[in-house]
């Protein structure tokens, strides 16, 4: 994530209002772009389906299948995203750009094969869908997997204008295809599915084009990235717990007294899903402000401290740089919290007048308000977790996400037998718990950063020959032999 902040800092140079708005737009897209796209598409397509006199059953079938493909693909790839971010950063730092793109292919294959099989089984139970509709939804799911993984790579490309263009065209294309097909008589389930496949397909190709403009096609085994699993395997757990922690309450509510079967194994809890959907938007200010306020402004102090480390600064200089870094970090976290709380209050108050207009009951509005508190706390806690990874406190990050997941799971299960106005309490308690655990851990870690830098490393470099390293080396050697053979055959043919 640091690379985003460092690059955005250039966009904030100067006092022009339009330039600052442009930087905020880029930050919004990079931080939450894929989710914003999903929300914009879902709202837009739902409105179009209703305008073509779709029945409630048809609307539920489309919404449920889309949401399932979205959430399942996000949960499936979450474990890889955090790990791949570290892998890409290491390859760029070590000047091995040729190793980057093959890892995207390898990670996509690892996720798509089991994920595709499992989701195909889920769709096989959906009797309300035609075979063609099942195929379209399966293709959408398979597109989403590499798109989520691309987000771990796209921030390194720094071509934010192209990224913004890809998002905008993807949204427009999906909506245009949906409208065009329905105008020509295609049914209200098939048409939006085709629109989504087209829009996300364009995004997949567009992001790949941006990445190939920055990284070479590469060489070697596409599975070489597993070599570092012995060192950074805990990041797989952290990534999954972080994503599962913000969605587990939704899945639990599908099987609550308010949950209903849509078709096959596809379920939903319409009232809770709608409340959660709108509450999720409350996180955007914290996500954007973290990138701009914390990373951009904090970087100078961070860089100053490690310059003192590299250049042989004295203990007094190191302590002074550390204290400055800690003070600025506290200030930025305080600002981040204040901005998020302010926006949350404004959002809750203003939505009290809008939600009844779009059909929210008093109970749904109550769920929405509770989840707004939870998602706000989570957004700040998640920012702190990113800072823990920033300082390589991987254990702290894993503890923070574990608290989030376990608290949300336990409280959400408890509320199944509680009154409906308590639904959503799980994410509220979990978000607050994550914040209360992550903040003191982060400040404690920074206070001891001198020890972490100088004393927690081995005195002598140690090379561990793990099974992951041996497997990666064998695959890499096999890929190298294949490349040499291919070049030899190509030479003979020429």
């Amino acid at each position: 994530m640091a690379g985003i902040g460092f690059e955005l800092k250039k966009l904030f140079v100067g006092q022009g209002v339009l330039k600052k708005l442009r930087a905020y737009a880029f930050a919004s897209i990079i931080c939450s772009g894929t989710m914003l796209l999903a929300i914009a598409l879902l709202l837009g397509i739902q409105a179009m389906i209703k305008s073509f006199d779709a029945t409630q059953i048809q609307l539920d079938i489309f919404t449920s299948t889309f949401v399932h493909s979205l959430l399942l693909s996000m949960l499936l790839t979450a474990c890889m995203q955090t790990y791949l971010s570290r892998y890409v950063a290491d390859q760029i730092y070590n000047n091995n750009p040729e190793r980057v793109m093959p890892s995207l292919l390898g990670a996509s294959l690892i996720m798509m094969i089991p994920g595709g099989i499992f989701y195909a089984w889920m769709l096989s139970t959906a009797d309300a869908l035609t075979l063609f509709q099942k195929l379209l939804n399966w293709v959408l799911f398979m597109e989403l997997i590499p798109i989520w993984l691309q987000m771990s790579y796209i921030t390194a490309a720094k071509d934010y204008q192209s990224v913004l263009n890809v998002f905008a065209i993807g949204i427009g294309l999906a909506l245009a295809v949906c409208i065009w097909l329905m105008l020509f008589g295609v049914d209200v389930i098939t048409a939006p599915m085709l629109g989504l496949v087209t829009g996300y397909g364009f995004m997949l190709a567009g992001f790949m084009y941006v990445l190939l403009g920055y990284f070479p096609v590469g060489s070697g085994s596409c599975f070489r990235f597993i070599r570092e699993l012995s060192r950074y395997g805990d990041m797989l757990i952290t990534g999954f717990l972080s994503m599962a922690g913000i969605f587990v309450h939704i899945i639990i509510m599908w099987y609550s007294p308010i949950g209903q079967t849509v078709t096959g194994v596809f379920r939903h809890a319409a009232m809770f899903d709608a409340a959660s959907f709108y509450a999720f938007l409350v996180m955007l200010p914290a996500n954007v402000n973290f990138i701009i306020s914390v990373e951009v402004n904090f970087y100078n102090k961070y860089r100053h401290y490690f310059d003192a480390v590299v250049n042989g600064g004295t203990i007094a200089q190191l302590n002074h740089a550390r204290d400055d870094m800690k003070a600025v970090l506290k200030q930025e976290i305080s600002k981040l919290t204040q901005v998020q709380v302010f926006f949350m209050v404004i959002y809750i108050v203003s939505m009290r007048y809008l939600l009844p207009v779009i059909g929210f009951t008093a109970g749904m509005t109550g769920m929405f308000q509770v989840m707004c508190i939870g998602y706000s706390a989570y957004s700040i806690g998640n920012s702190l977790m990113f800072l823990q990874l920033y300082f390589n406190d991987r254990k702290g990050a894993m503890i923070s996400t574990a608290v989030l997941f376990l608290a949300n799971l336990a409280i959400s299960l408890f509320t199944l037998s509680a009154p409906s106005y308590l639904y959503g309490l799980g994410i509220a308690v979990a978000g607050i718990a994550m914040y209360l655990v992550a903040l003191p851990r982060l400040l404690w870690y920074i206070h001891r950063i001198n020890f972490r830098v100088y004393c927690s490393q081995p005195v002598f470099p140690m090379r561990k020959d793990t099974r992951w390293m041996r497997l990666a080396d064998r695959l890499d050697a096999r890929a190298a032999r294949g490349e040499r053979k291919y070049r030899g055959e190509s030479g003979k043919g020429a």
Side-chain angles (χ1 to χ4, degrees):
M1 296 292 287
I4 307 172
F6 303 160
E7 190 68 16
L8 280 174
K9 190 172 183 179
K10 301 174 184 177
L11 297 176
F12 278 88
V13 175
Q15 302 299 320
V17 174
L18 291 179
K19 193 167 187 178
K20 292 186 184 297
L21 289 175
R22 179 168 169 259
Y24 275 101
F26 284 148
S28 302
I29 292 298
I30 298 302
C31 298
S32 308
T34 45
M35 183 54 66
L36 289 175
L37 173 63
I39 291 172
L41 281 178
L42 185 56
L43 289 174
I45 290 177
Q46 282 181 334
M48 284 189 292
I49 291 176
K50 290 178 181 178
S51 68
F52 279 81
D53 299 325
T55 65
Q56 186 60 45
I57 294 177
Q58 290 174 317
L59 184 61
D60 288 344
I61 290 173
F62 164 73
T63 302
S64 180
T65 53
F66 176 49
V67 169
H68 274 74
S69 65
L70 193 70
L71 291 190
L72 184 59
S73 62
M74 291 176 70
L75 288 171
L76 185 65
T77 57
C79 58
M80 278 291 183
Q81 285 181 299
T82 306
Y83 173 78
L84 288 173
S85 296
R86 177 59 185 257
Y87 177 81
V88 172
D90 286 350
Q91 298 313 306
I92 294 174
Y93 178 79
N94 293 323
N95 197 27
N96 294 322
E98 73 281 356
R99 295 291 187 184
V100 173
M101 291 304 293
S103 67
L104 175 58
L105 173 61
S108 298
L109 289 174
I110 289 175
M111 296 289 100
M112 290 171 75
I113 293 174
I117 294 172
F118 178 74
Y119 198 64
W121 168 79
M122 290 183 63
L123 287 170
S124 70
T125 68
D127 297 332
L129 296 176
T130 67
L131 180 61
F132 184 57
Q133 290 167 349
K134 292 177 182 179
L135 177 62
L136 287 176
N137 193 250
W138 186 82
V139 171
L140 173 64
F141 172 78
M142 298 297 279
E143 288 177 342
L144 287 168
I145 290 175
I147 287 175
W148 295 127
L149 294 177
Q150 283 175 329
M151 294 301 101
S152 300
Y153 296 76
I154 203 71
T155 55
K158 303 181 180 69
D159 188 358
Y160 299 118
Q161 184 64 60
S162 296
V163 171
L164 192 62
N165 292 340
V166 170
F167 273 113
I169 296 174
I171 293 174
L173 190 60
L175 295 175
V177 169
C178 180
I179 294 174
W180 183 75
L181 289 174
M182 285 194 292
L183 287 174
F184 278 87
V186 179
D187 68 85
V188 292
I189 296 179
T190 304
M193 285 185 177
L194 274 168
L196 288 172
V197 168
T198 304
Y200 277 108
F202 176 84
M203 283 182 57
L204 176 61
F207 288 142
M208 188 62 68
Y209 178 80
V210 172
L211 290 173
L212 288 174
Y214 187 80
F215 298 109
V217 173
S219 59
S221 170
C222 60
F223 300 109
R224 183 179 172 83
F225 70 94
I226 68 173
R227 199 174 192 277
E228 302 301 325
L229 279 176
S230 55
R231 294 177 60 193
Y232 304 127
D234 54 348
M235 300 185 78
L236 299 177
I237 301 173
T238 299
F240 175 78
L241 291 176
S242 177
M243 189 64 67
I246 60 170
F247 290 127
V248 66
H249 62 295
I250 297 176
I251 297 173
I252 288 174
M253 286 303 128
W254 289 347
Y255 297 90
S256 72
I258 64 173
Q260 296 176 320
T261 296
V262 177
T263 178
V265 297
F266 291 84
R267 293 180 61 87
H268 74 161
M271 294 189 298
F272 188 84
D273 291 348
S276 178
F277 180 82
Y278 285 98
F280 193 86
L281 297 175
V282 78
M283 296 196 303
L284 184 59
N287 291 345
V288 175
N289 199 55
F290 168 70
I291 295 298
I292 294 172
S293 179
V294 176
E295 287 206 41
V296 172
N297 298 334
F298 171 67
Y299 172 64
N300 287 333
K301 300 299 181 182
Y302 177 89
R303 180 64 182 271
H304 181 66
Y305 173 81
F306 282 99
D307 280 346
V309 171
V310 173
N311 297 325
T314 65
I315 291 295
Q317 290 172 330
L318 287 173
N319 288 337
H320 180 70
R322 179 202 61 194
D323 292 342
D324 280 352
M325 179 172 61
K326 188 175 180 180
V328 171
L329 185 60
K330 284 183 177 180
Q331 176 183 329
E332 296 301 331
I333 292 173
S334 175
K335 186 191 303 182
L336 175 70
T337 304
Q338 292 173 29
V339 169
Q340 181 59 36
V341 171
F342 174 77
F343 180 83
M344 179 191 71
V345 172
I346 298 299
Y347 186 61
I348 290 176
V349 171
S350 59
M351 290 298 281
R352 287 184 62 184
Y353 300 98
L354 176 62
L355 294 178
V357 176
I358 59 177
F360 269 51
T361 64
M364 293 171 66
T365 303
M367 295 178 197
F368 163 80
Q369 293 170 342
V370 171
M371 283 189 282
C372 277
I373 297 172
Y375 282 130
S376 292
Y378 162 78
S379 63
I380 302 170
N382 196 51
S383 299
L384 298 178
M385 186 272 290
F386 275 126
L387 285 168
Q388 289 174 323
L389 293 177
Y390 200 98
F391 287 100
N392 201 34
D393 181 16
R394 301 197 307 276
K395 182 179 180 181
M398 188 165 59
I399 291 173
S400 300
T401 54
V403 167
L404 171 76
F405 174 75
L406 293 175
N408 197 0
L409 177 65
I411 301 299
S412 296
L413 288 173
F414 167 76
T415 57
L416 288 178
S417 57
S420 61
Y421 63 82
L422 290 179
Y423 292 165
L425 186 62
I427 186 60
V429 173
I432 295 171
M434 183 187 191
Y435 175 81
L436 294 177
V437 168
L439 181 58
R441 169 79 187 195
L442 176 63
L443 297 179
W444 171 82
Y445 193 90
I446 295 175
H447 184 72
R448 291 167 52 88
I449 195 169
N450 290 348
F451 169 79
R452 295 290 177 179
V453 170
Y454 287 103
C455 303
S456 63
Q457 305 300 322
V459 177
F460 300 102
M462 300 173 61
R463 175 181 172 82
K464 293 183 179 180
D465 190 18
T466 67
R467 66 178 182 275
W468 292 113
M469 290 181 177
R470 292 193 296 271
L471 176 59
D473 289 342
R474 286 198 299 269
L475 293 172
D476 210 36
R478 183 179 299 177
R481 289 195 299 270
E483 290 172 0
R484 288 195 297 269
K485 181 178 179 181
Y486 173 76
R487 287 196 294 268
E489 293 177 351
S490 298
K492 291 178 183 179

